Amino acid sequence: MPVDQFPDPFEEQLSVALRDAGGSFDTDRAALAAAGQARGRRLRLRRRAAVAGGAAGLALVGVGGALLVPSGSTHGPADSSVAAKGTATPAAGRFSAREVVRTLERLLPGGTFSGQEGRGTADEAGPLAYVVYDDGKGPAAVSVALSRIPTGRGFDPAREVQPCPETGEGAPSGLDSCETGKLPDGSAITVYQGYEYPDRRADTKAWGAELITPTGQRVNVSEWNSPAEKGKPVSRPEPPLDTAGLKRLAAAKEWRRIIDVLPEPSPATAASPSAGQSVGLQRILGILTARLPKDVQVVSRGGQEPEYGFVVVDDGKGRGYVEINVQPNMLDAADALYQGAETLPDGTRVKTRQQPDEKGREGVVMWTVDTMRKDGKRVVVSAYNAAGLKTGATRPEPVLSMRELRDIALAPHWESLGS
């Protein structure tokens, strides 16, 4: 993590985190009192814990693994890391951005390629390949991101892989299909077919797969029926790879060879969720980063088990802090928390806030989308125009818009967490 994110000594930050433990994720005082009787204690340390965690390495997980497509590179397509400061040749044993992109091209069925972008193993954000692929039925964006996650004692890929939403009466999934299973080598994989926008305001379909191996190798695949994730019209009825094709691409051995070059995360840097935890940090971060806009790069990420995660992101115009809290079984606090809130057709309640920083930092603002499903699952996403919870403003507004925060909070994958 860059040192300018948490510049103060650990002791001071820990002291601040402990003082802030009496606060809440919600700033509505009346709602705070009611919610505190229900599940408030579980909410209190989540956001501020990252202040201490950032400096001391508490619950900090590795960078990378997001389904992100970089933009704004000053280098040629796939020639070097998008986030790299220069154009130095990677050391022996590393894979360049061009090599990662070419791997994707070789693994896709015959067709033409354009718009190649990528990152190599030397990039702090992790390897990534992005291409616009045309199999003769129209151009489609395809992205593969690679990372390693801590394994630790009792590591189980099935608990770490992106989960499928609940299905059945009263639990709309928001996806056309989703399947989670295991491969013969013990890897867990989720393959899904859904939409780029949860509210279906556009016809862009987003299909993908996430695979996690028993040794912590993570492969994220994403594809669209458009030449771009957002901002371009649909170019074909469906993305090019069906569920079998997505599974084959995610399970390709070539990705594992690239991931093996990455440093192995220390088990001390992030606790692996244990059996019985309702929500897992790795799952939260996996879903959060997968829903970020393509032009947003993850600089660092972390959080606290089992419900709180954060990412520091940059869209080329300055860094910003994004945090998320996922809590199950919050129905007993719903009336207090969501007075006057919007209610969606499926019963989800949505409340939004745009306000000055509650700690009084000059020029810092906090934008929040707070949602609750019918089953009581609460997902709260906030974005700041600052790179941390103690730093000053780095830009006029947060990196993510209110619309983008809403898309993240309403993503169907949250529905399976904490079930």
Side-chain angles (χ1 to χ4, degrees):
M1 177 179 293
V3 295
D4 60 347
Q5 296 305 308
F6 300 97
D8 296 326
F10 166 64
E11 291 82 0
E12 179 182 346
Q13 294 174 11
L14 179 59
S15 176
V16 171
L18 292 174
R19 289 198 305 269
D20 287 340
S24 170
F25 201 93
D26 194 288
T27 57
D28 184 326
R29 298 305 175 188
L32 171 62
Q37 294 177 358
R39 294 288 294 281
R41 286 178 298 178
R42 295 183 58 198
L43 196 58
R44 289 176 179 174
L45 278 174
R46 301 305 178 216
R47 175 149 51 90
R48 300 311 200 284
V51 178
L58 300 180
L60 177 64
V61 302
V63 174
L67 299 180
L68 307 177
V69 179
S71 66
S73 172
T74 58
H75 311 300
D79 280 335
S80 59
S81 165
V82 172
K85 302 299 183 183
T87 57
T89 302
R94 294 181 177 177
F95 289 84
S96 68
R98 179 179 292 277
E99 289 171 321
V100 178
V101 170
R102 284 179 174 173
T103 299
L104 174 58
E105 292 177 343
R106 288 194 298 268
L107 290 172
L108 288 171
T112 61
F113 302 96
S114 61
Q116 295 94 332
E117 296 184 69
R119 298 193 298 258
T121 54
D123 193 289
E124 66 174 355
L128 178 140
Y130 170 83
V131 298
V132 178
Y133 165 63
D134 194 336
D135 57 359
K137 301 178 182 179
V142 181
S143 173
V144 177
L146 310 173
S147 63
R148 298 189 75 168
I149 63 175
T151 52
R153 184 177 180 182
F155 178 80
D156 182 357
R159 289 203 302 268
E160 305 292 346
V161 76
Q162 178 171 291
C164 286
E166 293 180 353
T167 57
E169 186 176 356
S173 71
L175 300 175
D176 288 337
S177 70
C178 187
E179 177 184 358
T180 296
K182 277 201 170 186
L183 302 183
D185 66 356
S187 298
I189 186 168
T190 293
V191 182
Y192 63 90
Q193 295 178 326
Y195 300 85
E196 180 60 31
Y197 303 100
D199 60 6
R200 310 283 179 90
R201 62 182 181 271
D203 294 328
T204 309
K205 294 183 178 180
W207 295 1
E210 180 180 70
L211 177 142
I212 295 180
T213 72
T215 56
Q217 299 160 311
R218 171 183 272 161
V219 180
N220 287 112
V221 178
S222 189
E223 60 171 349
W224 297 266
N225 61 334
S226 168
E229 176 185 359
K230 292 181 174 72
K232 290 191 177 181
V234 167
S235 54
R236 49 190 295 150
E238 297 181 341
L241 301 179
D242 59 13
T243 55
L246 285 167
K247 184 179 292 187
R248 283 194 298 270
L249 181 57
K253 301 297 184 183
E254 288 85 346
W255 301 128
R256 304 189 192 190
R257 288 196 287 269
I258 296 174
I259 298 172
D260 282 342
V261 175
L262 301 176
E264 185 173 355
S266 169
T269 60
S272 178
S274 60
Q277 285 184 329
S278 60
V279 184
L281 174 60
Q282 294 289 351
R283 287 184 171 188
I284 288 176
L285 291 172
I287 297 173
L288 171 61
T289 54
R291 300 304 305 176
L292 291 172
K294 71 165 190 170
D295 58 345
V296 172
Q297 179 179 334
V298 176
V299 177
S300 60
R301 62 183 190 169
Q304 183 181 14
E305 293 282 7
E307 298 168 348
Y308 171 81
F310 74 89
V311 290
V312 178
V313 295
D314 195 334
D315 61 355
K317 302 175 184 178
R319 293 181 176 182
Y321 191 90
V322 180
E323 61 185 3
I324 185 161
N325 209 96
V326 182
Q327 292 183 294
N329 306 320
M330 291 290 289
L331 278 178
D332 46 2
D335 291 341
L337 291 171
Y338 296 95
Q339 292 182 10
E342 173 189 4
T343 301
L344 302 183
D346 66 358
T348 300
R349 288 188 259 194
V350 182
K351 195 171 186 179
T352 61
R353 294 189 297 275
Q354 291 178 276
Q355 63 190 48
D357 178 54
E358 59 186 19
K359 292 181 68 67
R361 289 178 293 174
E362 184 176 358
V364 176
V365 296
M366 174 185 179
W367 293 359
T368 299
V369 176
D370 187 340
T371 67
M372 184 178 289
R373 270 68 169 176
K374 285 180 64 176
D375 64 356
K377 190 172 291 90
R378 187 184 185 197
V379 180
V380 189
V381 188
S382 294
Y384 299 79
N385 61 334
L389 294 175
K390 293 186 64 182
T391 60
T394 53
R395 49 189 294 137
E397 295 181 345
V399 174
L400 301 182
S401 68
M402 291 296 290
R403 171 67 79 171
E404 289 165 340
L405 291 172
R406 181 185 177 99
D407 285 346
I408 292 171
L410 294 176
H413 296 95
W414 303 119
E415 292 164 17
S416 67
L417 296 183
S419 301

